[in-house]
Amino acid sequence: MIRAEQTSDKEVLKKVYDIRREVFIDEQNVPEEEEYDQYEDSSYHFVAWDDQVPCGAARWRETADGIKLERFAVIKSRRGKGVGSALVKAVLEHVASLPDTEGKKLYLNAQVSAMPLYAKFDFNPEGERFMECDIEHQKMVR
């Protein structure tokens, strides 16, 4: 059974960073200095579990433009099994549960291949596509 939850537990955060390393750095060749940034400590982090196995990660943070969802990663062996959807749902529920986020714009920079996932949650493309770390992205807003 897939479940996703917010975490600040140090041991679980290590697993979150391991998932991001596997997906972004090892698989997609994102430079390590681009993947881990100054926002790690000011973000809310999420982990997805398939039974007891950590298999997905995400985070959100507040920016001058609103609430930015980012760093969604699912390990290759668990893709297509609802992990990404569980993460998006958990992040959106968490954002909605906090009183100071009400009415703020929700947005993300989606890898183009992941746009259908975010569209299921009413995110719509805005602006032109762009390259980030040699991967085509599209800003999406809800």
Side-chain angles (χ1 to χ4, degrees):
M1 183 181 91
I2 306 294
R3 66 183 170 83
E5 62 192 6
Q6 190 266 328
T7 187
S8 55
D9 179 271
K10 297 281 187 224
E11 288 301 310
V12 177
L13 281 174
K14 183 182 179 322
K15 296 175 191 320
V16 164
Y17 295 135
D18 288 346
I19 291 166
R20 287 172 43 189
R21 171 174 293 284
E22 181 178 333
V23 172
F24 296 126
I25 297 170
D26 298 342
E27 184 183 333
Q28 296 182 343
N29 298 311
V30 170
E32 186 168 354
E33 61 274 10
E34 295 286 326
E35 173 51 28
Y36 303 111
D37 60 25
Q38 72 268 28
Y39 303 114
E40 299 300 345
D41 291 338
S42 59
S43 297
Y44 291 95
H45 295 272
F46 292 77
V47 63
W49 304 89
D50 187 352
D51 290 322
Q52 301 302 314
V53 179
C55 59
R59 77 178 192 193
W60 74 264
R61 62 186 174 92
E62 239 179 297
T63 71
D65 295 326
I67 305 293
K68 185 176 184 191
L69 287 63
E70 53 192 6
R71 301 300 198 273
F72 283 84
V74 176
I75 60 172
K76 193 178 268 189
S77 65
R78 297 303 202 281
R79 291 184 194 148
K81 299 179 191 262
V83 176
S85 290
L87 281 165
V88 176
K89 186 172 186 263
V91 169
L92 292 174
E93 287 174 355
H94 186 257
V95 170
S97 75
L98 301 175
D100 59 334
T101 60
E102 192 173 333
K104 294 192 177 174
K105 176 170 85 171
L106 292 143
Y107 71 102
L108 51 84
N109 292 334
Q111 291 186 11
V112 169
S113 61
M115 287 175 64
L117 166 66
Y118 304 118
K120 288 193 309 189
F121 291 92
D122 299 320
F123 283 89
N124 296 298
E126 182 179 275
E128 299 295 317
R129 291 185 179 179
F130 60 94
M131 298 300 287
E132 192 171 82
C133 297
D134 291 327
I135 301 167
E136 191 175 21
H137 284 74
Q138 172 69 57
K139 182 176 182 179
M140 298 184 80
V141 177
R142 184 172 193 236

